[in-house]
Amino acid sequence: MSTQKRVRFATRALLLHLGAVVLVVALCTGVYLAVAVQQLRAEAESTALGIARTLAEDAQVRTTVATISASDDGPDAEALRDGELQQIATDVMARTGALFVVITDDAGIRLAHPLPSRIGEVVSTPFAEVLAGHEVVDWQTGTLGESARAKVPVRDDSGTPVGEVSVGFERTGVFDDLPPLLAALGLTAAGALALALLTFLLLRRRWERLTLGVQPEELVALVQNQTAVLNGVGDGVLAVDQDGIVRVSNAAADRLLGLHDPVGRGVDELPLPSVVRDTASGARDRAETVVGDRMLYLESRLVRRDGRALGDVLIVRDRTDLIALTERLEAVRTMTSALRVQRHEFANRLHVAAGLIDAGRVDDARAFLDELVSRGPVAFPVAGLDLVGDPFLHAFLGAKGVEAAERDVALRIADDTQLIGTVRRAEDVASVLGNLVDNAVVAAVAGAREPRWVEVSALSDGDALVVTVADSGGGLRDPDPQASADDGGSGDRVHGHGIGLPLATEIARRSGGDLWIIDPGGADHGAVFAARLGDAVDAAPHTSKEDR
C-alpha cells in the first residue's frame, strides 16, 4: 500500500469525521436557535399581554374610556393629547420599553398613541374581535412597523367592552439577545470542531499503533490471505491467548482435533485429551498422542511481541500415514531379516551338501538332504512355531523370534494356540502383534528374571483374531493401557516412537476389537496383554506344510 493511498484514507476519514461533527453542530445550533427565537417571541408576547391586562384593569383608564365611549360627541383629540390617558400610556412605554401603548374607545378611535398626531384617528389593525370581549396576541404590522402585540378589552363597571388597550414590542427589540447568543453558539461550534479534529488526530495515531501502520485495504487483504493460508495448509493451527481463549483455529485443526467452532471458547472447555490441553497452553513444548483414529504430533510455540507474551500457537501435524508407513516398513524389515536368516542357513546347507559331493560321499550327501527335507527349510528359534499354520503369521513370529534371540530372549508359542483360517489385514495384525511382542521383549530384557522369555498365543474366533502376549519382565506400574495415551505416549511399556500401545489400541478398536491387560504381573511372570482384531481371519483353511 503506497503512501498516497494512506493519505487518501486519512483525508477521507478526516473529512467524514469533520463532516459528521459539522452536521451535528449545525443541526444542534439550528434547533437551539429555533427554540431560542420561539422563546423570545413567547416572552415578548407574554410581556405585552401582561402590560395590556394591567393597563386595562386600571380604574382611571376604565372610567375615562367608558366616559368617552358613552359620549355622543366623540373624543376631543386636542384635549386627549395632553390628557391623562396619554400621560399614562407614555409613562408605561418609558418604564417597559414598549414600542407603543395605544388606548382606543369602542369605535377604535385612538385615545392615546406614541405619536400625538395620530390621536383621534381609527387604529390601523383589526379591533372587532377585541371589542367582542376576546384577548388577541400576535405579530402584526401597523403604523409603527411589525411588532409583537397584545390587545385586551377595556370593560366598564358592568363588564361590557368599551375600548381596547394595545401594547407592542418592536421586532428588533425582541431579538436584542440574539447576537450574544449567536456568538456563544459560534464559539461552542468552533470548540466542538477543534475538539473533533484533535480527537481524530489522536484516534488516527492510536489506529496506526494498533494496526502497525496497516491500512484498512491492507487489513482486508491480510485477513483474506491469512484465511487462505491457514485453511490451505495440511497442518492444524490453534492459537490460544494468555487467558486460555482460542483465537484462531483453521479447518485442519478442527478436523484433526474433532472440534466445532472453538474460536472464542476456553481451551479447558473443549473436548480435548489432557495432553493436547497441556501442549496448547504451553505446559509442554511437544507431544505425540492419539485423537480419534489419528496419530498426531503436537508442537507448541510461544508468541511474543515487544518482549510481551501474547499467547501460544499449537501446531498439529497428522502423523497417522507416516506411522502406518513406518509400521509397514517395520514389518518388511522383519520379514527381510527372516529371509536373510533363511538365505544364510540355506547357503550353509548348500555348502555342506556340496562339500560331501566333492569329497565323493554321495550317500552321506543324499542322507543329509533327506534330513533337511524332513526338518523343513529353516529352523526359527521359536519353540512351538509349528502350531501356527498361517504362512504370514508363521514367518512374522519366526522373524520376531530371531530378533528376540539376538537380545537373549526366547520367544515361544503357547500350547493353546489354534488358528483356523488365513490371516488377512496383515498390516494391522503386524502393527498390533508386533508392538505387543516388541514391548514384551523390552520388558523381559529390563526384568530381573532368568531365563528371559516371551510367550505368544493366537486364537481364531470366527473372523476375529485373538492374541495374548506374556513376558518374564517385572510387570506394570500402571495397569491402565490407556494411561500411555493420555500422557502423550510415555507409559511403562511404550517404546520406539512412544506410541506403541495407544496406536495398537486404536487399530484394534477401529476394527471392532480392543486391547486390554489380562494380568499386570505376578510372582512367576510379567504382564499379560491381549488384543482382539475384528475381520482379521479368513475362515477358509490355510495350506498346510505337507500341501506345500
Side-chain angles (χ1 to χ4, degrees):
M1 186 67 63
S2 64
T3 303
Q4 183 180 4
K5 288 187 177 180
R6 282 208 242 349
V7 172
R8 282 207 303 269
F9 168 73
T11 302
R12 290 197 305 269
L14 175 60
L15 293 178
L16 180 62
H17 186 77
L18 292 180
V21 173
V22 168
L23 180 61
V24 171
V25 170
L27 182 62
C28 293
T29 301
V31 172
Y32 187 79
L33 279 177
V35 172
V37 169
Q38 186 64 29
Q39 185 176 2
L40 291 175
R41 288 171 63 97
E43 288 179 357
E45 292 172 356
S46 177
T47 302
L49 180 60
I51 295 173
R53 284 176 176 174
T54 302
L55 194 56
E57 293 294 330
D58 185 86
Q60 187 174 0
V61 172
R62 293 175 61 188
T63 301
T64 304
V65 172
T67 300
I68 294 174
S69 297
S71 173
D72 295 334
D73 296 335
D76 184 357
E78 291 297 332
L80 290 173
R81 288 187 182 97
D82 297 324
E84 294 180 354
L85 292 180
Q86 180 68 11
Q87 186 62 41
I88 293 173
T90 302
D91 292 343
V92 171
M93 288 174 54
R95 290 196 305 269
T96 61
L99 175 63
F100 62 83
V101 175
V102 176
I103 302 174
T104 70
D105 61 6
D106 57 354
I109 298 175
R110 299 185 182 100
L111 305 181
H113 194 274
L115 299 177
S117 60
R118 298 285 187 180
I119 295 176
E121 298 177 357
V122 179
V123 294
S124 59
T125 56
F127 57 87
E129 185 177 358
V130 179
L131 292 179
H134 303 290
E135 295 179 345
V136 177
V137 180
D138 60 3
W139 289 74
Q140 293 181 348
T141 302
T143 56
L144 298 178
E146 186 181 10
S147 60
R149 62 185 64 192
K151 298 179 180 180
V152 177
V154 178
R155 303 176 185 273
D156 58 12
D157 293 339
S158 64
T160 303
V162 294
E164 72 169 359
V165 174
S166 178
V167 178
F169 286 89
E170 187 179 8
R171 170 182 285 275
T172 56
V174 171
F175 299 117
D176 284 343
D177 293 336
L178 278 182
L181 182 60
L182 288 174
L185 287 176
L187 291 175
T188 303
L193 293 176
L195 181 61
L197 179 60
L198 177 62
T199 302
F200 169 76
L201 294 176
L202 293 176
L203 287 177
R204 185 173 66 174
R205 182 179 178 184
R206 178 65 173 171
W207 171 273
E208 294 290 339
R209 292 181 59 185
L210 289 177
T211 62
L212 306 178
V214 180
Q215 300 305 305
E217 296 85 353
E218 294 175 305
L219 286 175
V220 173
L222 183 62
V223 171
Q224 292 174 343
N225 294 337
Q226 180 191 41
T227 302
V229 170
L230 287 178
N231 292 327
V233 299
D235 294 342
V237 178
L238 192 75
V240 182
D241 64 13
Q242 287 293 88
D243 298 326
I245 306 299
V246 177
R247 296 304 179 187
V248 176
S249 180
N250 65 349
D254 294 347
R255 175 176 53 83
L256 294 175
L257 298 176
L259 302 178
H260 177 69
D261 194 19
V263 177
R265 299 165 59 186
V267 69
D268 293 335
E269 303 174 7
L270 301 177
L272 295 172
S274 59
V275 60
V276 179
R277 292 197 193 96
D278 293 343
T279 311
S281 60
R284 295 184 180 210
D285 292 335
R286 57 184 58 87
E288 289 180 336
T289 187
V290 176
V291 178
D293 59 348
R294 313 303 293 177
M295 185 63 223
L296 304 181
Y297 174 78
L298 311 175
E299 183 178 359
S300 179
R301 299 178 182 176
L302 180 64
V303 179
R304 290 182 176 273
R305 178 173 176 78
D306 297 332
R308 182 169 61 94
L310 301 180
D312 297 275
V313 175
L314 177 67
I315 308 298
V316 184
R317 296 186 176 93
D318 188 359
R319 295 294 180 88
T320 305
D321 296 336
L322 179 61
I323 296 303
L325 179 60
T326 302
E327 294 296 331
R328 293 190 184 100
L329 292 177
E330 181 67 18
V332 171
R333 188 192 66 79
T334 301
M335 300 303 296
T336 302
S337 177
L339 291 175
R340 178 178 57 81
V341 173
Q342 286 183 334
R343 183 187 64 81
H344 182 72
E345 181 68 17
F346 184 71
N348 289 338
R349 293 176 179 180
L350 285 181
H351 290 159
V352 172
L356 291 175
I357 293 174
D358 291 341
R361 300 169 58 185
V362 176
D363 294 337
D364 292 337
R366 183 181 297 279
F368 178 72
L369 291 175
D370 289 340
E371 183 182 357
L372 290 181
V373 171
S374 63
R375 287 191 327 189
V378 177
F380 286 112
V382 179
L385 187 58
D386 291 339
L387 295 174
V388 180
D390 177 75
F392 165 76
L393 206 56
H394 185 281
F396 182 77
L397 289 174
K400 286 295 182 182
V402 172
E403 291 182 351
E406 292 176 353
R407 305 186 66 179
D408 196 26
V409 177
L411 179 64
R412 67 194 186 200
I413 306 302
D415 294 337
D416 59 354
T417 294
Q418 185 177 15
L419 179 60
I420 301 175
T422 304
V423 171
R424 57 188 176 190
R425 295 178 58 205
E427 294 177 358
D428 288 349
V429 173
S431 296
V432 175
L433 183 57
N435 270 302
L436 292 179
V437 172
D438 289 342
N439 288 345
V441 171
V442 172
V445 172
R449 292 189 180 94
E450 293 288 347
R452 298 168 180 169
W453 54 265
V454 172
E455 185 176 80
V456 177
S457 171
L459 300 170
S460 57
D461 182 11
D463 65 352
L465 175 65
V466 181
V467 296
T468 61
V469 179
D471 60 66
S472 62
L476 295 176
R477 293 191 299 271
D478 186 354
D480 183 6
Q482 193 62 26
S484 61
D486 293 338
D487 65 5
S490 60
D492 292 326
R493 296 170 59 88
V494 180
H495 70 289
H497 300 286
I499 55 172
L501 286 181
L503 182 60
T505 302
E506 184 58 37
I507 292 174
R509 290 176 178 175
R510 190 170 56 197
S511 66
D514 203 350
L515 187 149
W516 66 97
I517 298 174
I518 296 179
D519 190 343
D524 57 348
H525 62 80
V528 181
F529 278 79
R532 178 186 178 90
L533 289 90
D535 193 27
V537 177
D538 189 347
H542 57 75
T543 303
S544 64
K545 285 183 179 182
E546 291 75 6
D547 296 333
R548 289 179 285 155

